[in-house]
Amino acid sequence: MESSDSDNFESADEDFEFEKFEKGSNTTKHHHPVPKSDTAKAAILIPKAPPSTDVNQNKKETSESETLTPEIVNSDKSKSEGSLIKDDEGNKQYQTKAVPQLEVAAKDTVKHDVEIEACDNSRGSNVTGDAQDPDDDSENLWNEGEGWGVDDESDNTAIPNVQGKEKMEASPKTAPIEEDAWSNEGWEIWESDSKEIMIPNPAKTDNQSNLDPKWKGWSNWGVSSILSTATQSVSTLTSSVSQGLSTVASTIESSIGAPEPAELALSNRAEKKSLPAEITSSDHNNKNSMGFGLSNIGSLVSGVSKLVESTSTKVISGGLDTLETIGKKTMEVIQEGDPGLKKKRAFLNLEGEKPVLSQVLREAKEKAEQENKARQEKHFAKKVNYESIFDDHQGLVHLEALEMLSKQCDMKLQLLFESSSGDALMEIQETLAQVKELCELPNEEDEEQLSLEELKERLASAVKELDVNITYDRLISMWEETECWLNNVNLSICDENELHQQAVETLAQLTAIAVEQFHKAGELLLIKDHHSTADEADSLVQLTTTLTSLIGIAASKFSDKMNCKAVGDSNKESVNSLITNIFYEAANSSSYIQDAFQLLVPVIEMGAV
Amino acid sequence: MVEPIFDYQFRLILIGDSTVGKSSLLKYFTDGKFAELSDPTVGVDFFARLIEVKDGTRIKLQLWDTAGQERFRSITKSYYRNSVGALLVYDICNRASFEHIPVWMSEARRHIEPHRPVFALVGCKLDLVSNGGQREVSREEAKAFADQHGLFHVETSAKNGMNVEEAFKSVTQEVYNRIQTGEYKIEDGWDGIKTGFARPNGLDFNLVEAEPAKSSCC
């Protein structure tokens, strides 16, 4: 049995893949029915559902016997036999259609070996029948399609599918409220009729077989593509979509099958004439299928779960809930602001004329890139310049290395936190709070003008207090040179761009040295044996404020020179923008220095605990 | 028109015992100069140089010169992570420095994980041997060790510049080859390899390609 099953699947077309779900559902359904998800499933699976409707009917019929205990089934010979007979009939009738499902149903209803064998036989014939006679399906399909069209004449071809799908969702068991919405289209009759189906009626199998192609037809309609798209977009909205679910969803989506509108349209024309006579019978079939649609969907759901069962049952229960949400969302999204889906149908028909999304995106991207490039070129001379000079003087990499150190210290502190408790923890927290307090930078920008001597003095005292071997000699000598250059610069020779360039260079170099020495200070503090946290924090605050005020002084000295230039010059505007840029870079420099200082705080904290 | 001054930036780290000559090697490589006396490195220092690989691609090497001193060991470890290449440096005239190479190598491996850096084994102070100094590590022994671990091996002199260029070039070429084969990729959050950025012409004043000084004697 098993081996023959797998053989079938391998040789199967999409119908067979579908059958897989069906089969699984039949077996699992007894164990855990999946009532809630039916509606959700409906939205996703409907296009696919058609081939299996007949099976459902059979199953429904058999389900009566299923509900009984095995003994009862056995004792009630007439009943079980009845179903058996029906199954056989069904098998015969389904030879050109989705027979495999039927056999599954038969297997489920009657658990006797004999019956199973019968199923096997029937299946074999079915498979061949499918292969030989593919055209039959499409023919019937289109006949039925016309029948659907009759229900809603005003709409185009795409309409019936959607309606059918909604119908499924609206079927009595799951969503009675939705029924009303559709009742005006005459659908409600089917629902009332659906009860009839429960009664085993061999005569009906004929109709069921007709039904089958129609359902299949739906799957070929454009709806499936809307649905799968909607499903995808909805799934992104649903946070609870699990890995397992997405697997399930993709399986379903892939099994939906690609529509071949052109082919369908052709056959449609051909069959159009022969239709009217069949409409009534097809309606009848539709009723039946409606009634059974639900169980069909249920079995689909459980069939899916069977597939995934081996991986994890948890995933399924979560996944089914999500599927339900997806189904609901899908319908919501599809129908949003578009009652009756009129717009969507129109959209589907106009597919050839709509703009290609990827093209639109590509154009947008190209435009953005061009704008970006233009902007870059404009700012290059200013922005990149500062940063590249800063980088060339190893400012960036020192900052980065300091960052690494800082992170390391943070991690160690974190470990310390986790490993200590009680009083020890309290003590650490207190210490750290104190360090933070000590490390607060004064808010007000002191715009005092430091002379070179004052600068030297302040830096020297701060370094001394820090008690590590760092030096700002390089910074001081550089600033000396700059001041000298500024005092002697011949403004009649030096143009504003040159002045601006010099200013940016000076700022970048001063900052690079400052950051480098902060980095060194951090490294040396970390390997220092004895710490005086208050002194360290104090001196680093002192260093930071001194260095940032030096940056301020440098910026204002350069801008003074620039201003001299602006007075005599006609292009005042460009000079002003250059001055603005100098102050902008000075602000940049200050924030780099302050960042470096903040990165040192964990280092000081490490020394304190 | 904007022209990129380098296509890639590789971060290489130099590790090895103190006083083997890491800083001198780098100074020669980036400056073409040799200093008879130099202060021990504090923590880490940085050097940079632009070189070209065989197909003309311009690579900026960002060189991390770590302190060899034991007291900085815990700090320098935290700098390993973002390196794409590591030069294991030893002193040809200092047996112990060579014997510590396996330790340095496994340290680097451990800290650079999950990335797999290009390693090179670099012997320093070749000029001392030429001048009658006492060689403590034979070329064969070092070569055997290098072959055993799949490293590139070279003996250099930062004083006369012998093989200095080759040491860095081989590592750079190997890293570049691994990019070409797809083994190395540019990743966010890892700074071992970066793509270069463009700069306006004429403004890359500080990063001109250093002219390797001519090696005078051997």
Side-chain angles (χ1 to χ4, degrees):
Chain A
M1 193 62 194
E2 282 309 307
S3 64
S4 64
D5 277 353
S6 60
D7 284 347
N8 271 337
F9 294 145
E10 274 166 25
S11 64
D13 48 20
E14 56 172 6
D15 278 355
F16 280 74
E17 204 181 335
F18 205 70
E19 175 207 357
K20 214 150 127 194
F21 291 120
E22 277 292 329
K23 189 173 280 181
S25 67
N26 282 336
T27 45
T28 50
K29 205 181 178 179
H30 307 301
H31 307 305
H32 32 83
V34 214
K36 269 189 89 179
S37 52
D38 280 359
T39 38
K41 259 317 192 202
I44 300 165
L45 296 176
I46 286 145
K48 201 45 185 184
S52 55
T53 37
D54 44 341
V55 179
N56 278 321
Q57 184 155 344
N58 280 329
K59 216 173 99 201
K60 251 317 201 263
E61 289 162 356
T62 55
S63 71
E64 283 202 342
S65 57
E66 278 175 31
T67 49
L68 302 170
T69 57
E71 296 96 67
I72 296 172
V73 175
N74 286 337
S75 64
D76 192 348
K77 269 214 164 178
S78 65
K79 216 170 192 177
S80 61
E81 273 177 3
S83 60
L84 242 176
I85 291 160
K86 195 183 52 134
D87 281 339
D88 283 344
E89 279 185 26
N91 283 333
K92 282 175 196 163
Q93 282 155 356
Y94 280 96
Q95 276 189 354
T96 54
K97 276 109 207 186
V99 185
Q101 292 103 311
L102 217 171
E103 136 220 342
V104 177
K107 184 176 55 184
D108 270 337
T109 50
V110 197
K111 280 155 190 163
H112 299 271
D113 290 340
V114 191
E115 286 151 12
I116 293 167
E117 276 173 28
C119 297
D120 277 345
N121 293 336
S122 65
R123 186 204 288 139
S125 58
N126 296 332
V127 175
T128 50
D130 268 349
Q132 286 169 346
D133 212 354
D135 287 345
D136 274 6
D137 283 356
S138 59
E139 273 182 355
N140 287 335
L141 229 176
W142 283 99
N143 290 339
E144 299 301 329
E146 286 301 315
W148 284 93
V150 174
D151 284 336
D152 196 344
E153 283 170 359
S154 62
D155 281 314
N156 54 36
T157 44
I159 298 162
N161 313 332
V162 182
Q163 281 179 345
K165 185 184 67 216
E166 274 155 3
K167 201 59 195 172
M168 287 288 278
E169 220 182 6
S171 63
K173 277 184 187 172
T174 50
I177 301 160
E178 282 174 84
E179 275 176 39
D180 297 333
W182 295 94
S183 59
N184 56 358
E185 290 184 78
W187 288 84
E188 80 279 7
I189 302 162
W190 297 8
E191 276 136 28
S192 58
D193 278 359
S194 64
K195 276 143 204 159
E196 291 174 20
I197 301 151
M198 303 298 202
I199 305 150
N201 184 359
K204 264 190 181 165
T205 46
D206 227 332
N207 291 333
Q208 287 162 15
S209 64
N210 286 335
L211 244 189
D212 182 37
K214 180 197 294 175
W215 281 97
K216 215 175 171 189
W218 292 6
S219 74
N220 285 334
W221 290 89
V223 177
S224 63
S225 66
I226 305 181
L227 282 178
S228 59
T229 318
T231 312
Q232 280 166 358
S233 61
V234 168
S235 66
T236 58
L237 297 175
T238 317
S239 59
S240 61
V241 176
S242 62
Q243 180 86 33
L245 203 229
S246 62
T247 318
V248 173
S250 65
T251 315
I252 294 162
E253 280 164 18
S254 65
S255 69
I256 282 169
E260 283 184 329
E263 207 180 301
L264 289 175
L266 274 181
S267 54
N268 189 8
R269 298 274 174 273
E271 305 300 328
K272 220 170 188 172
K273 301 289 175 195
S274 61
L275 270 184
E278 284 183 45
I279 290 171
T280 42
S281 66
S282 70
D283 273 353
H284 189 57
N285 292 333
N286 287 338
K287 290 178 214 164
N288 293 342
S289 66
M290 276 306 137
F292 290 112
L294 260 193
S295 65
N296 177 26
I297 290 151
S299 61
L300 277 175
V301 174
S302 48
V304 171
S305 57
K306 172 84 184 285
L307 282 178
V308 191
E309 211 168 43
S310 53
T311 33
S312 150
T313 45
K314 271 184 187 172
V315 172
I316 293 166
S317 59
L320 287 175
D321 285 346
T322 317
L323 271 180
E324 185 185 11
T325 321
I326 289 174
K328 283 178 181 163
K329 273 277 176 198
T330 307
M331 286 315 292
E332 272 173 39
V333 169
I334 291 175
Q335 295 201 73
E336 205 175 77
D338 189 8
L341 299 173
K342 291 220 159 61
K343 283 181 202 156
K344 261 99 189 172
R345 290 165 195 159
F347 175 77
L348 277 182
N349 272 1
L350 292 173
E351 214 156 347
E353 294 167 34
K354 71 175 175 164
V356 183
L357 181 61
S358 63
Q359 181 66 29
V360 175
L361 287 175
R362 206 178 305 126
E363 279 163 13
K365 192 188 132 217
E366 275 163 15
K367 202 178 164 196
E369 272 173 358
Q370 274 176 359
E371 280 173 8
N372 231 2
K373 209 175 170 186
R375 211 180 305 136
Q376 269 182 353
E377 276 164 8
K378 236 185 194 172
H379 284 264
F380 239 129
K382 296 174 184 176
K383 183 138 178 84
V384 174
N385 213 359
Y386 173 88
E387 260 135 35
S388 58
I389 299 164
F390 184 61
D391 188 32
D392 288 345
H393 289 87
Q394 315 300 352
L396 269 184
V397 73
H398 272 293
L399 203 56
E400 192 190 329
L402 179 55
E403 228 161 62
M404 289 173 165
L405 276 190
S406 188
K407 267 184 201 161
Q408 197 94 358
C409 290
D410 266 336
M411 272 161 56
K412 281 181 185 164
L413 286 169
Q414 202 59 44
L415 273 177
L416 195 66
F417 266 142
E418 282 160 14
S419 62
S420 42
S421 57
D423 288 350
L425 186 64
M426 287 282 285
E427 209 173 295
I428 294 169
Q429 281 170 332
E430 264 173 43
T431 311
L432 294 189
Q434 280 169 3
V435 172
K436 287 227 162 62
E437 215 170 287
L438 285 167
C439 288
E440 255 165 42
L441 289 173
N443 266 337
E444 75 274 20
E445 300 264 318
D446 39 353
E447 282 296 314
E448 50 183 335
Q449 290 289 318
L450 286 173
S451 72
L452 189 63
E453 287 311 307
E454 280 172 316
L455 179 74
K456 275 185 189 169
E457 204 178 295
R458 284 207 194 184
L459 289 176
S461 77
V463 169
K464 195 180 168 213
E465 203 177 8
L466 193 58
D467 193 26
V468 292
N469 187 23
I470 61 167
T471 169
Y472 281 92
D473 290 352
R474 215 147 45 93
L475 182 130
I476 289 164
S477 67
M478 210 214 105
W479 179 236
E480 258 173 331
E481 278 170 35
T482 307
E483 277 198 320
C484 192
W485 184 86
L486 275 170
N487 291 333
N488 296 317
V489 68
N490 188 343
L491 285 177
S492 56
I493 303 170
C494 182
D495 81 342
E496 66 267 16
N497 285 320
E498 205 178 318
L499 208 52
H500 170 257
Q501 179 69 27
Q502 185 68 34
V504 171
E505 246 171 75
T506 305
L507 289 171
Q509 286 187 45
L510 287 176
T511 311
I513 298 169
V515 169
E516 180 195 313
Q517 290 307 308
F518 271 22
H519 175 214
K520 295 281 172 218
E523 289 175 329
L524 289 166
L525 283 173
L526 274 178
I527 59 163
K528 211 167 116 181
D529 291 329
H530 304 290
H531 290 277
S532 163
T533 303
D535 288 347
E536 287 167 10
D538 195 45
S539 71
L540 284 172
V541 170
Q542 176 79 19
L543 275 178
T544 308
T545 52
T546 309
L547 290 169
T548 49
S549 53
L550 174 65
I551 295 294
I553 294 162
S556 58
K557 283 203 172 180
F558 273 104
S559 62
D560 283 349
K561 292 286 174 199
M562 296 286 278
N563 271 327
C564 297
K565 206 73 186 157
V567 173
D569 222 320
S570 54
N571 53 351
K572 204 167 184 172
E573 206 171 294
S574 75
V575 172
N576 277 338
S577 91
L578 287 175
I579 291 173
T580 311
N581 185 248
I582 289 175
F583 280 106
Y584 169 78
E585 301 298 8
N588 243 351
S589 301
S590 293
S591 78
Y592 278 135
I593 293 170
Q594 280 161 2
D595 283 353
F597 169 75
Q598 292 301 337
L599 289 170
L600 280 174
V601 174
V603 176
I604 301 169
E605 287 174 339
M606 273 297 289
V609 296
Chain B
M1 190 53 202
V2 174
E3 193 185 60
I5 64 147
F6 60 89
D7 304 287
Y8 290 101
Q9 175 180 295
F10 296 166
R11 181 174 296 182
L12 308 183
I13 193 164
L14 273 77
I15 50 180
D17 282 7
S18 66
T19 71
V20 294
K22 298 181 290 296
S23 302
S24 294
L25 189 70
L26 281 171
K27 188 151 185 61
Y28 188 89
F29 179 62
T30 55
D31 264 7
K33 290 175 192 156
F34 175 72
E36 285 292 343
L37 288 173
S38 63
D39 291 331
T41 307
V42 171
V44 65
D45 271 330
F46 305 104
F47 296 85
R49 212 194 110 174
L50 208 65
I51 66 171
E52 277 184 18
V53 287
K54 278 174 193 156
D55 68 4
T57 306
R58 288 156 75 88
I59 313 278
K60 180 188 171 185
L61 294 181
Q62 191 187 72
L63 301 150
W64 290 48
D65 176 26
T66 63
Q69 287 177 330
E70 182 68 39
R71 62 188 185 124
F72 287 112
R73 205 61 56 83
S74 65
I75 292 169
T76 51
K77 272 180 202 166
S78 50
Y79 297 138
Y80 287 17
R81 199 181 84 83
N82 281 317
S83 312
V84 73
L87 280 77
L88 305 163
V89 187
Y90 69 97
D91 177 354
I92 295 167
C93 303
N94 178 347
R95 178 86 205 157
S97 72
F98 178 71
E99 280 168 357
H100 291 153
I101 288 296
V103 181
W104 286 108
M105 189 163 72
S106 63
E107 279 277 275
R109 277 231 168 87
R110 196 155 59 86
H111 288 285
I112 299 175
E113 263 183 352
H115 298 277
R116 290 176 52 251
V118 172
F119 282 107
L121 183 63
V122 181
C124 282
K125 307 186 187 177
L126 186 59
D127 54 287
L128 290 186
V129 178
S130 312
N131 290 338
Q134 185 62 52
R135 180 191 268 272
E136 292 187 9
V137 182
S138 75
R139 190 187 297 256
E140 292 71 29
E141 188 184 2
K143 185 81 174 73
F145 177 87
D147 289 346
Q148 187 192 336
H149 293 89
L151 320 174
F152 172 82
H153 174 246
V154 70
E155 291 186 340
T156 66
S157 165
K159 192 167 187 177
N160 59 33
M162 175 104 179
N163 290 337
V164 172
E165 196 78 5
E166 283 76 2
F168 291 94
K169 235 181 184 146
S170 61
V171 174
T172 310
Q173 185 68 50
E174 179 60 21
V175 172
Y176 183 70
N177 291 346
R178 292 191 189 182
I179 292 174
Q180 298 294 297
T181 61
E183 189 182 338
Y184 288 162
K185 291 189 177 63
I186 292 122
E187 296 170 32
D188 280 343
W190 184 63
D191 295 324
I193 303 168
K194 284 182 185 170
T195 46
F197 56 89
R199 288 190 204 181
N201 259 349
L203 288 172
D204 49 327
F205 45 86
N206 203 46
L207 203 75
V208 286
E209 211 169 332
E211 281 296 316
K214 295 204 169 64
S215 43
S216 46
C217 65
C218 304

